Amino acid sequence: MERHFDEELKNLKQRLLHMADTAQQMIGLSVRVLTERKEALAAEVFKLEDSVNRMEVEIEDAVLRLLALRQPAAGDLRLLTAVLKINNDLERVADQACNIAETATDIIKEPPLKPLIDIPQMAEVAQKMIRDSIHAFVNHDPSLAGEVCREDDKVDQLNEKIFRVLLTYMMEDPKSITRAVDLILVSRNLERVADHATNISEDVVFIEQGKNIKHHIQN
Amino acid sequence: MAAPILLTESLNLFYGNFQALKNVNLSVAGRRITSIIGPSGCGKSTLLRVFNRMNDLVEGARVTGRVLLDGEDIYAPGTDLLSLRKKVGMVFQRPNPFPISVFENILFGLRVHQLAGKSKDRLREIVKESLESVLLWEDLKDRLNGLATNLSLEQQQRICIARLFVVRPEVLLMDEPCSALDPLATARIEELMQELKKNYTIVIVTHNMQQAARVSDDTGYMYLGELVEFGATQKIFTTPRDKRTEDYITGRAG
């Protein structure tokens, strides 16, 4: 039996999808501020953040309304509580994009410290993780969600590698410290984005299978 | 889970040619509230009535399998039905006090079981204790001789619960005990159930899923005479195993 409630849930998912798409796009733009040395792109990131913030509040309101009025159980309940959390994660992803855009704006005022290789790669993986986690959510695909969780290791390794490389620059030349620290911050922001994608994927597994896989705790 | 007080093993029940219960294996733990949910006609009330053999009154009803109360088969030949129904009390959907005084309603069970013969003071004490346990004493202590049928529905339902206590039952069966009550009276009966479970084992049949979620420790879902799923209430309402349970509690089917 198709319920009116299903329509409301579908609508909510659509909005979350739109928010994910925007947040993911913001990460792409913020990294391009750095790689293409285009300050103007930062302004676009900040503009998109306003709309993400608005979406966050709207989605939260919608979930609260459905919890109160529909008194959901089982799969519906898991979906709605997970949407609340995913909503939060996506808003944080948008925040990270703003952090990256701000730091990148500072970095490009100085000449390049070194050719950027690892950071663009990391950005690509992190963005793909966000996209995949949302695909897993929309397509009820816990196995894709599992793959996203495994990708997180790759991002963590890149983050460590970037830190090590930049450390050697700072040791060799104190004048490089400001730029190197800023690049480390960007790398850290991207690592956080991947963490949020991992959270979303864990929520997808919870929605689909009722299993909490966070922190490798078995229940 | 603690040792079961009530246990059914491969329980089947037939009304003539119609099979109302199909191979039900249920284990009810002591001093907990167990709720049975399911759509109309799924057999949940029939199952409840198995536990004090109320179905015996239905012509053509036939039971196979075993039903154990404290380890003893209540369908064994020679079972004393009077003593079974003393141990296993029942509260119905419509409050059904007798059209006599509150006082005599409470003592009715004692008289049936010929346990009366007690002094007037002792009887009054029993009535007091029993009404206190359903939080009615303060309201009714000056109206004990009034007709029970003149009370509000909620008070009548409380009387029906209170009058079970005088014969010291172990198990309370409740068949939709709140469906004739308004939401506030329902909430108060539910609070009362939480008090009662300290001393009694409660099995409740309800159409109201939220009620099952609120009051019970364990929940069983029945469909077409089958016990589809049974487990901790929290588990049933967050992560049911069976798709039929999921469909029912999310209002998709059933």
Side-chain angles (χ1 to χ4, degrees):
Chain A
M1 181 176 78
E2 178 81 359
R3 305 165 304 170
H4 183 62
F5 188 25
D6 291 322
E7 205 48 48
E8 294 174 308
L9 291 175
K10 207 154 87 190
N11 181 279
L12 187 66
K13 279 171 128 177
Q14 277 304 326
R15 286 154 81 169
L16 199 70
L17 196 61
H18 181 49
M19 183 175 175
D21 193 45
T22 312
Q24 189 257 122
Q25 199 187 330
M26 286 169 69
I27 296 293
L29 284 168
S30 67
V31 174
R32 279 171 58 203
V33 176
L34 185 65
T35 53
E36 297 174 18
R37 303 181 75 82
K38 273 191 192 155
E39 196 182 333
L41 295 177
E44 280 185 48
V45 173
F46 301 136
K47 211 169 97 195
L48 288 173
E49 201 215 0
D50 285 341
S51 71
V52 167
N53 288 345
R54 232 184 355 264
M55 287 186 248
E56 189 207 8
V57 172
E58 284 168 9
I59 288 171
E60 203 171 298
D61 279 352
V63 172
L64 284 183
R65 192 174 59 79
L66 292 178
L67 284 174
L69 303 185
R70 294 287 183 181
Q71 290 144 24
D76 297 331
L77 179 63
R78 298 201 302 274
L79 174 66
L80 283 176
T81 50
V83 166
L84 263 190
K85 292 195 283 178
I86 294 172
N87 188 35
N88 208 2
D89 276 308
L90 290 173
E91 192 273 333
R92 294 294 298 147
V93 169
D95 284 347
Q96 300 298 348
C98 290
N99 293 340
I100 294 170
E102 273 172 30
T103 314
T105 307
D106 289 343
I107 296 174
I108 60 175
K109 286 182 182 134
E110 310 271 333
L113 181 64
K114 65 185 268 304
L116 296 172
I117 299 155
D118 293 327
I119 285 185
Q121 195 197 338
M122 200 173 165
E124 208 171 290
V125 179
Q127 271 176 279
K128 182 168 188 297
M129 285 172 69
I130 294 283
R131 272 198 308 272
D132 285 350
S133 65
I134 293 296
H135 276 150
F137 171 71
V138 174
N139 300 324
H140 310 278
D141 187 347
S143 84
L144 179 59
E147 277 173 41
V148 173
C149 295
R150 285 186 290 280
E151 284 288 291
D152 193 39
D153 290 342
K154 215 185 266 176
V155 173
D156 287 344
Q157 279 160 17
L158 278 168
N159 185 39
E160 281 165 31
K161 181 181 167 203
I162 289 167
F163 180 77
R164 277 198 311 274
V165 171
L166 290 168
L167 198 60
T168 59
Y169 277 85
M170 292 191 279
M171 287 193 294
E172 277 169 25
D173 179 8
K175 284 206 287 296
S176 72
I177 288 178
T178 311
R179 280 170 293 169
V181 167
D182 279 346
L183 287 172
I184 287 171
L185 283 178
V186 170
S187 156
R188 179 80 180 284
N189 291 142
L190 289 170
E191 187 261 335
R192 286 285 158 84
V193 170
D195 285 347
H196 290 299
T198 307
N199 288 349
I200 294 170
S201 300
E202 288 166 346
D203 284 331
V204 172
V205 173
F206 177 68
I207 296 170
E208 298 303 329
Q209 301 176 330
K211 267 194 316 204
N212 191 337
I213 58 164
K214 282 184 200 286
H215 317 298
H216 308 288
I217 295 168
Q218 297 294 314
N219 63 344
Chain B
M1 200 187 278
I5 292 260
L6 269 175
L7 192 69
T8 71
E9 291 173 351
S10 313
L11 172 69
N12 295 290
L13 186 142
F14 303 84
Y15 293 126
N17 290 326
F18 175 72
Q19 185 167 6
L21 296 177
K22 296 171 187 163
N23 192 29
V24 173
N25 292 286
L26 173 75
S27 163
V28 175
R31 300 198 177 175
R32 281 167 83 86
I33 299 176
T34 299
S35 63
I36 308 291
I37 59 173
S40 296
C42 70
K44 55 192 190 300
S45 290
T46 296
L47 179 62
L48 200 68
R49 289 198 298 262
V50 159
F51 297 133
N52 68 352
R53 289 188 55 175
M54 289 263 295
N55 293 314
D56 290 16
L57 305 172
V58 179
E59 208 174 319
R62 188 161 54 82
V63 169
T64 69
R66 298 210 306 164
V67 182
L68 306 178
L69 171 66
D70 290 327
E72 282 183 38
D73 187 353
I74 62 171
Y75 280 85
T79 299
D80 177 0
L81 290 189
L82 210 59
S83 110
L84 169 68
R85 289 173 191 157
K86 200 175 115 199
K87 278 195 212 162
V88 185
M90 189 145 188
V91 180
F92 298 85
Q93 190 166 351
R94 292 291 302 181
N96 54 354
F98 304 115
I100 49 178
S101 71
V102 170
F103 194 84
E104 285 303 320
N105 257 283
I106 300 297
L107 292 178
F108 200 87
L110 271 190
R111 305 223 194 274
V112 169
H113 293 283
Q114 298 168 337
L115 304 167
K118 298 186 157 88
S119 72
K120 201 121 200 205
D121 284 352
R122 179 67 194 124
L123 289 179
R124 196 178 149 84
E125 216 171 283
I126 290 172
V127 170
K128 178 168 185 267
E129 276 171 22
S130 155
L131 286 174
E132 271 173 352
S133 63
V134 295
L135 312 175
L136 268 187
W137 176 248
E138 284 305 316
D139 289 342
L140 296 188
K141 64 183 175 191
D142 301 321
R143 287 192 277 161
L144 295 178
N145 293 320
L147 273 182
T149 41
N150 285 346
L151 301 172
S152 75
L153 279 180
E154 179 195 351
Q155 286 176 327
Q156 290 185 28
Q157 194 62 307
R158 283 175 188 263
I159 295 278
C160 294
I161 298 171
R163 72 181 174 192
L164 301 175
F165 297 148
V166 296
V167 296
R168 307 251 165 252
E170 285 176 41
V171 179
L172 302 181
L173 306 176
M174 298 184 162
D175 193 352
E176 299 273 5
C178 299
S179 60
L181 305 181
D182 71 27
L184 273 180
T186 298
R188 287 191 293 262
I189 295 285
E190 288 177 3
E191 284 302 316
L192 176 63
M193 289 172 70
Q194 296 304 323
E195 282 302 307
L196 296 179
K197 91 169 183 189
K198 292 174 189 161
N199 297 308
Y200 304 95
T201 300
I202 298 175
V203 186
I204 174 174
V205 158
T206 176
H207 259 128
N208 180 336
M209 276 184 282
Q210 262 80 41
Q211 178 169 61
R214 282 192 302 266
V215 302
S216 65
D217 302 293
D218 302 304
T219 297
Y221 170 60
M222 289 190 68
Y223 186 61
L224 299 177
E226 242 181 273
L227 181 65
V228 171
E229 187 164 354
F230 182 80
T233 298
Q234 189 193 328
K235 178 101 175 56
I236 299 287
F237 281 90
T238 57
T239 49
R241 274 192 330 267
D242 196 290
K243 180 151 189 321
R244 290 170 293 176
T245 315
E246 168 101 23
D247 284 350
Y248 182 69
I249 64 172
T250 56
R252 283 190 180 84

